[in-house]
Each structure stands twice: as C-alpha cells, then as structure tokens.
C-alpha cells in the first residue's frame, strides 16, 4: 500500500522507526524468555530464606536479602569442587575420544574409495537421535553385571568381566554413553565442512602425488580446522553440563552420588533440599565458568588461526 | 493496530491464567482437588462424590515421594496448591515448615482415638496442631522365601544375632546366595531399622529442634550392617534395579526387610516366586520384645491454600476413618490402614494374593504393627535422606566406613538446618 499524497516528513519518521518495528519481536522474546529468567535467577541468588525458631506455621519463614552469602557458600562448597573435578576427569576422556572418532569417521566417509558411505553416515549418526536418558538406560542394562550380556559373553569365554560401575571404570562407562551419542553429530559437522572443500584443492593434492593419508593430514585437516574448533567448543559446553547420564545411572550403583556433577548439585539443592537460593547462586557460578572456558577457548583458537593466516 | 491486538491478547491470557484456580461453582457445589498417588484413589473418591453431591472431589494423580513435596511447596508459593494432598509422614514437617498444610485440629477433634499414639504423633509433630490425618502405615516385617529356608535348613531369625547367624549359615550351605542386601538407595528402610532400635532423629523441645541421627540406636544399626557387609554375608548392591529384581526372582536373595506393602513390590519384581514367601516379625534387638519401625505410610493433609477448610477436613476424615472408605482403600489401593479398627477382619481377612500361602498374613501384621515405634521427622528429611544415599552408598561400595557415614549424615542434616536459621541443637 502506498500513500502518494502523504507529507514527506511523516514518511521519514516512519522509515526511521521501521528498524525498531522489525527488532521488536526479537527484542520482546529475548527479554521475556532470556533476560527475564536470568535476571530472576540473579535476584534469587542474592536472597535467602530465614527461619525463626521451629519454623512451623505461617510465621516460620521469610525471604530476606543475603548479599553474596550464597556465592560464598557455592565457592567454598567442597562437594561442588569435587563435582567439578569429576567432570574434568570425565571430559578428559569424552572430548578427545569423541572428536578423534568424529574426525576419523568424517575423513573416512569423505574418501571416495570407501564403499557403503551413505549407510555408514546414517549408522554413525543414528545414536545422536536417541534421547540421552534412553541411551543411559540402555547402557545401564549393559553395565549391570548380573543382567549384562557383555559380562555374560566374557564369562562364557572365560575372561574376567570388569565391573563397569565401580572405580575408574565408571568414568569410562559414563564417557562411553556420551561418545556413543555425540560422535555422529560431530562427525556430520566435520564431514559437511570436508564436502565444502573446493574440488581443485583435492585435485591439486592428487596431482602433486599425495597419498590419501597425506591429503587428509596435510590438506583436509588444516582446512577444516574451524569446524574442529566449533565441535570442540560444543563439546566443552556439553561436558560441563553433564546431567542425564549420571542421574539415570545413579540408582543402579553405590558409586554415583546425588552431587556427582555440578549440575546435579544444583538440582539437588533446588529440588531435594528445597533451597532455591543456593541453587541459583551455584547455577550462576557454573554459567560463568562455562562462559569463560568456552569463549576463552574460542578466542584463543580464532586468534591463533588469524595469526597463522597472516603468517602465510 | 497490531500492537493493540497483541495487548488485548496478552491481557486476555493473563486474565484466563489468574482465573484458573477457583474453587466454587455458581450452583453452590464445593469443588475440591486432591493430589494423590495411591493406586485406585479415584474409585474410592467416587464413593464420596456419589454420597456428597454438594462436595465434589477431583483426584489429580501424582508421582509419589519427594517430587510431590517439592511440587506442592512450589504450587503453594504460587497460590495454586490443591485443597488436599497425600503426604508421606516424613514430608509433613517440610510441608508444615513451608506453611503448606493447614492446622485442622478444630475440624477433626474426635478422631484421635482411632489411631495409635505412635501414628498420631507423626501428624501433630509433637505440637498442639494437627497437620494431617493418618491414612496408612508401613510397619517393617521380615519377608523370606519359606521354600528356600526349608531347603537350606534355616530357622526364621527372631533376634538380630540370629539374623547374622542365618546369613552366615546360608553363606556356608549356598555361597552363591545372599540372605539380603544392604541398599543405600532408599533411606526409608534404614530410618525404620533405626526407629526399631529407639532412634528419634528429629525431636522438638519447646522452641528448638534436636537432631540425633548419629546416636546410640543409629550406631548400633549401622555397626550391625557394616559387619555383615564387610564379611560379605549380605550383598551391598542397591535394590530396585533390574539386577535386584533378577536376584529376588531367581532366589539369589532369599529375604527382604520391608514394609507391609512388600507383597505388591515382590509381585512386580519377582513374579515367578508367587506363593513361596512368608512374612514374620522383624528380628529383635532383645529376645522376646515386639518392636518394629516403619517404612512408608502416608497421610491426608489440607492445604493453607484452600477456600473450603471445613469441607476438605470433612472429606479427609471420611477417607481415613469411615469403614466403607477404608475397605475401598484396602481393596483398590492395597494399603494397610492407619486406623486401628480397620486392621482386622473386613477387607484384611484374606492375605494378599501373592502371599496366598500364608492365611494369617494380616494377623501377623496386626501383631507387629502394635509394636511400631514412634517416628520423629524434621523439616529437612530429604536432605538427610540424600546424605544417606551418598555417604552410605560410598561406604557400602567400599564395605567399610559405616560409622563415619552416619556421622556425615548427622553433620549434613544439622548444618543444613543451622544454615537456614532453625533453632537447632545436636
């Protein structure tokens, strides 16, 4: 619709306000579903419940200002620190193995001489479509000694069957679930980047007499480095947020506590202990650590890539 | 124009959400909502609704246990709590401390005598208020595979010393089987065993709480089980896992200490063992005593959110004291009623189907239930329970360190109350 007889001035004003109009839906949604909850969590984290006497009846408790007491509590909490260390150990297995496998499969599927590539791509990706809780349950059955077909098979062969849910093996068992579920996704990301490489580059490498292995190591991997950085970035975040697998396996073993990972600690504070204020403070701390670690890595990685590009 | 439409839409949405929680309809009928998890509760409530057209109760099915406590507290803070809620006894102090349960003493003045003092004390928390009406009890019994006990020449233990001997004997005649397991994934059992030994985990003294988890009774129970676990006379793996189900079903665990509700659980966990179990009184610390603890059991609480306190209390009274209601609860929900006169005859004349081989099942239970020790719950049972899961889980896994685990449980529970501002001593 046009209004040719409208005064010029007014039209200018509406043009100038147009960007705000376009921005409004995003801004409103951002405020409502992102800024507001975060703001509320921050607000909760500086409050606390104060109980008087026995704490029974209508005047038993009130919410008061807590300052940074909840943060002090979170930072000095040895359970939270232990949880963070456990997750570091877990991440030290998950991230390298998962990304290593993802890269390996992506390179393999990218090689034109490999047969059954469509099928391979699908089967490696499929576990990613299985919900995390289902995956953990599924693996849980395979880990429980008396019902596990793995244990059964090993014992039939006369081999000692490991107890998957005890000691250091537990870390491997948990990591295995994440690797099983996550490799496919990361492989697709890397594979897509590989497919996007210009044909000339591959051709040039071949003409120069590169073996497929050399092409992979010297040409393909350096060129998909940004994707590797990205998958690494995703994996760090996913590792710091581990919750489903240990929570689902917990009832099956004595060795997983209710505060095994930092997020489980938040859950426990909020929903078992009923202390939403401590939980909010811990959640904020975890969010900050995740932010610093993941973006710190991203910055480091991009700065390095840029430096290398300049050097070239 | 767009903006106005959006604003109107938002306003309507807000109006609809705020109008959501009304309790009375125009025709004067009082409508109550009741959050409960007991199976068959709808059928029991239907009896009430038929007889009381002016007070209509709607049951909203819930998940049991801790989740419902959190959910109810949250709903009460938001002003959307139901009128009535099924609450486990150990959850009542938490609910009362969050001002979720209403004091209904005035409405239920004459029902106290229908319950044993040990049960009644759990709904008053030792105060002058009445925070709920008792519905069912879960006295602990010793459930065992009668056929396998006979096969292995074992006697049913009557004391804990005999229990340890039985475990030892079984270990000799059938090394691949265990008498039972020490499971760290449900603190309810340990709490019940401690009650039997005389523990009072939380008590009120005029205006302060006392936490006594790490006391003589608790240490006695934990030392007893530590010895059995350390000598590998009982298993140390958690219950309610597929492996546990299999162990029970295949007779690799031949006894289970559990509440009176065990037949229902065994029927699901070990379906092949129907008719082979028997229930006996819990082993005693001193020969000749009749003491037991409780695991489970729940009550009906009226919330502070209700607009119809007298009607809600009337329904709660009917549900937990009326013979028709109790018979229906037993038949539909398989509960063991808290009201003492409902514990004999009627619906409890026959044993549970899974225990058809033991005609006097409920007579045994009634005898045992008389000796149920009073339980003493506090406002942070969930914290103590998860401390139990973690500390005893680790101790059971290592087959050592039960004493320290009990101390951790005490410390965690006390510190949590102290931090929140409760007047508390230990």
């Amino acid at each position: 619709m046009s209004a040719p007889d409208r005064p010029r001035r007014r039209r200018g004003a509406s043009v100038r306000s147009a960007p705000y109009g376009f921005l409004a839906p995003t801004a409103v949604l951002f405020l409502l579903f992102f800024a507001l909850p975060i703001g509320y969590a921050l607000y909760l984290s500086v409050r606390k419940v104060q109980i008087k006497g026995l704490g029974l009846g209508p005047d038993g408790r009130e919410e008061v200002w807590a300052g940074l007491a909840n943060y002090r509590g979170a930072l000095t909490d040895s359970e939270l620190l232990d949880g963070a260390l456990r997750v570091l150990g877990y991440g030290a297995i998950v991230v390298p193995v998962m990304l290593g496998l993802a890269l390996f499969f992506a390179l393999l599927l990218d090689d034109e001489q490999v047969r059954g590539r469509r099928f391979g791509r699908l089967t490696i990706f499929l576990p990613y479509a299985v919900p995390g809780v289902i995956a953990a349950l599924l693996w849980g059955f395979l880990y429980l000694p008396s019902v596990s077909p793995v244990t059964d098979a090993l014992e039939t062969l006369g081999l000692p069957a490991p107890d998957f849910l005890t000691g250091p093996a537990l870390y491997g068992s948990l990591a295995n679930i994440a690797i099983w579920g996550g490799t496919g996704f990361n492989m697709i990301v890397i594979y897509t980047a590989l497919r996007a490489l210009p044909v000339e580059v591959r051709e040039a490498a071949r003409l120069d007499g590169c073996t497929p292995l050399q092409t992979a190591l010297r040409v393909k991997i350096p060129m998909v480095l940004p994707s590797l950085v990205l998958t690494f970035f995703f994996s760090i975040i996913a590792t710091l947020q581990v919750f489903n697998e240990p929570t689902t396996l917990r009832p099956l073993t004595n060795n997983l506590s209710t505060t095994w990972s930092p997020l489980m600690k938040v859950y426990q504070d909020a929903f078992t202990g009923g202390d939403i204020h401590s939980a909010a403070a811990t959640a904020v701390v975890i969010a900050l650590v995740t932010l610093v670690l993941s973006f710190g890595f991203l910055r480091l990685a991009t700065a390095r890539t840029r430096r290398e590009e300049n050097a070239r | 124009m767009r903006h106005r439409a959006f604003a109107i839409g938002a306003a309507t949405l807000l109006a609809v959400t705020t109008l959501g929680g009304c309790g009375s309809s125009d025709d004067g009928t009082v409508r109550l909502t009741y959050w409960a998890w007991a199976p068959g509760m709808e059928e029991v409530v239907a009896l009430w609704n038929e007889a009381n057209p002016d007070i209509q109760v709607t049951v909203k099915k819930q998940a049991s246990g801790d989740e419902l406590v959190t959910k109810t507290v949250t709903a009460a803070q938001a002003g959307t709590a139901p009128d009535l809620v099924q609450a486990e006894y150990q959850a009542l102090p938490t609910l009362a401390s969050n001002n979720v349960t209403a004091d209904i003493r005035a409405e239920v003045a004459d029902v106290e005598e229908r319950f044993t003092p040990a049960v009644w004390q759990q709904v008053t928390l030792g105060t002058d208020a009445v925070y709920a009406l008792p519905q069912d009890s879960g006295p602990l019994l010793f459930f065992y595979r009668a056929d396998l006990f006979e096969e292995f020449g074992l006697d049913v233990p009557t004391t804990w010393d005999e229990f340890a001997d039985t475990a030892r004997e079984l270990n000799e005649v059938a090394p691949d089987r265990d008498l039972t397991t020490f499971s760290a994934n449900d603190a309810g059992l340990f709490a019940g065993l401690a009650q039997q030994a005389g523990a009072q985990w939380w008590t009120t003294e005029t205006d302060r709480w006392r936490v006594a988890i790490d006391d003589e009774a608790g240490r006695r129970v934990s030392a007893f089980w530590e010895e059995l676990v350390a000598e590998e006379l009982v298993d140390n793996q958690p219950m309610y896992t597929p492996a546990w189900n299999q162990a029970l079903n295949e007779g690799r665990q031949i006894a289970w200490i559990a509440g009176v509700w065990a037949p229902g659980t065994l029927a699901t966990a070990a379906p092949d063992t129907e008719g082979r179990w028997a229930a006996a009184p819990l082993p005693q610390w001193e020969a000749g005593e009749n003491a037991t603890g409780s695991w489970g059991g729940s009550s009906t609480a009226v919330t502070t959110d209700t607009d119809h306190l007298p009607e809600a209390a009337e329904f709660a009274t009917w549900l937990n004291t009326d013979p028709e209601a109790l018979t229906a609860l037993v038949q539909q929900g398989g509960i063991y009623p808290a009201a003492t006169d409902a514990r004999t005859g009627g619906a409890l004349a026959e044993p549970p189907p899974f225990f058809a081989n033991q005609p006097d099942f409920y007579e045994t239970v009634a005898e045992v239930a008389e000796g149920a020790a009073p339980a003493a719950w506090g406002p942070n049972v969930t914290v103590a329970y998860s401390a139990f899961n973690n500390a005893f889980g680790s101790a059971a896994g290592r087959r050592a360190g039960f004493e320290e685990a009990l101390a951790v449980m005490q410390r965690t529970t006390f510190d949590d109350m102290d931090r929140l501002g409760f007047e508390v001593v230990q």
Side-chain angles (χ1 to χ4, degrees), chain B residues 55-277:
Chain B
I55 308 175
Q56 291 291 303
V57 181
T58 310
V59 176
K60 295 243 167 88
K61 260 282 156 61
Q62 305 292 322
S64 64
D66 301 346
E67 276 167 56
L68 183 57
V69 178
T70 313
K71 191 172 167 181
T72 312
V73 170
T74 316
Q77 279 164 359
T80 57
D83 300 281
L84 296 130
V85 61
Q86 181 178 9
E88 286 178 292
Y89 294 117
Q90 74 266 25
L92 280 176
T94 308
L95 292 175
S97 137
N98 281 286
N99 196 28
V100 174
T101 52
D103 178 6
I104 49 170
R105 170 165 290 275
E107 280 73 23
V108 297
D110 50 349
V111 300
E112 182 175 344
E113 66 206 31
R114 307 286 298 274
F115 305 96
T116 62
V119 167
W120 189 251
Q121 168 258 326
Q122 295 194 69
V123 296
T124 63
L125 311 179
T127 67
D128 292 331
V130 177
Y131 289 108
L133 284 184
Q135 183 160 88
D136 63 318
S137 303
L140 285 176
L141 285 102
F142 178 71
F143 296 91
Y144 64 101
R145 283 284 297 274
D147 56 336
L148 293 177
F149 262 59
E150 201 180 294
E151 186 184 329
F152 297 127
L154 302 171
D155 292 326
V156 177
T158 59
T159 65
W160 287 111
D161 285 338
E162 286 179 21
F163 180 89
D165 291 339
T166 309
R168 222 162 263 135
E169 272 173 57
L170 176 69
N171 193 42
E172 276 159 29
V173 293
D176 56 332
R177 296 178 200 251
D178 283 309
L179 185 58
T180 185
T181 182
F182 178 83
S183 164
N185 65 351
D186 193 333
L189 172 57
F190 185 77
L193 292 171
Q195 284 159 22
Q196 186 207 22
Q200 293 273 294
W201 282 1
W202 287 266
T203 43
T204 47
E205 304 169 349
T206 59
D207 55 357
R208 64 181 189 186
W209 290 94
R210 177 178 292 280
V211 176
I213 294 170
D214 187 9
D215 71 342
E216 206 181 320
R219 282 195 289 266
R220 188 176 194 178
V221 174
S222 74
F224 175 78
W225 287 95
E226 175 168 24
E227 200 182 312
L228 291 179
V229 171
E231 289 181 36
E232 301 199 18
L233 296 175
V234 299
D235 194 18
N236 64 346
Q237 291 303 306
M239 51 193 173
Y240 304 138
T241 67
W244 180 77
N245 290 353
Q246 205 190 35
L248 287 176
N249 203 27
E250 292 176 354
R252 273 182 289 109
Q253 277 181 29
I254 66 166
W256 186 34
I257 294 162
V260 59
W261 38 262
T265 311
L266 289 172
T268 327
D272 298 347
T273 60
E274 181 170 351
R276 299 185 197 165
W277 291 82

Side-chain angles (χ1 to χ4, degrees), chain B residues 191-386:
Chain B
L193 292 171
Q195 284 159 22
Q196 186 207 22
Q200 293 273 294
W201 282 1
W202 287 266
T203 43
T204 47
E205 304 169 349
T206 59
D207 55 357
R208 64 181 189 186
W209 290 94
R210 177 178 292 280
V211 176
I213 294 170
D214 187 9
D215 71 342
E216 206 181 320
R219 282 195 289 266
R220 188 176 194 178
V221 174
S222 74
F224 175 78
W225 287 95
E226 175 168 24
E227 200 182 312
L228 291 179
V229 171
E231 289 181 36
E232 301 199 18
L233 296 175
V234 299
D235 194 18
N236 64 346
Q237 291 303 306
M239 51 193 173
Y240 304 138
T241 67
W244 180 77
N245 290 353
Q246 205 190 35
L248 287 176
N249 203 27
E250 292 176 354
R252 273 182 289 109
Q253 277 181 29
I254 66 166
W256 186 34
I257 294 162
V260 59
W261 38 262
T265 311
L266 289 172
T268 327
D272 298 347
T273 60
E274 181 170 351
R276 299 185 197 165
W277 291 82
L282 198 62
Q284 301 293 312
W285 286 107
E286 306 296 335
E289 281 182 346
N290 178 29
T292 193
S294 299
W295 180 8
S298 67
S299 63
T300 312
V302 177
T303 70
T304 49
D305 231 20
T306 183
D307 295 328
H308 308 284
L309 187 92
E311 290 86 353
E314 194 189 333
F315 167 74
T317 309
W318 172 83
L319 182 65
N320 298 309
T321 59
D322 185 87
E324 191 196 9
L326 289 169
T327 307
L329 273 175
V330 171
Q331 284 170 346
Q332 304 285 347
I335 64 142
Y336 186 66
T340 42
D341 52 3
R343 286 179 170 179
T344 43
L348 295 180
E350 299 284 315
F354 202 73
F355 278 58
N357 54 313
Q358 192 180 8
D360 66 344
F361 181 87
Y362 281 116
E363 283 159 43
T364 309
V365 176
E367 237 167 78
V368 168
E370 265 174 45
W377 305 114
N380 64 341
V381 173
T382 48
V383 172
Y385 274 25
S386 71

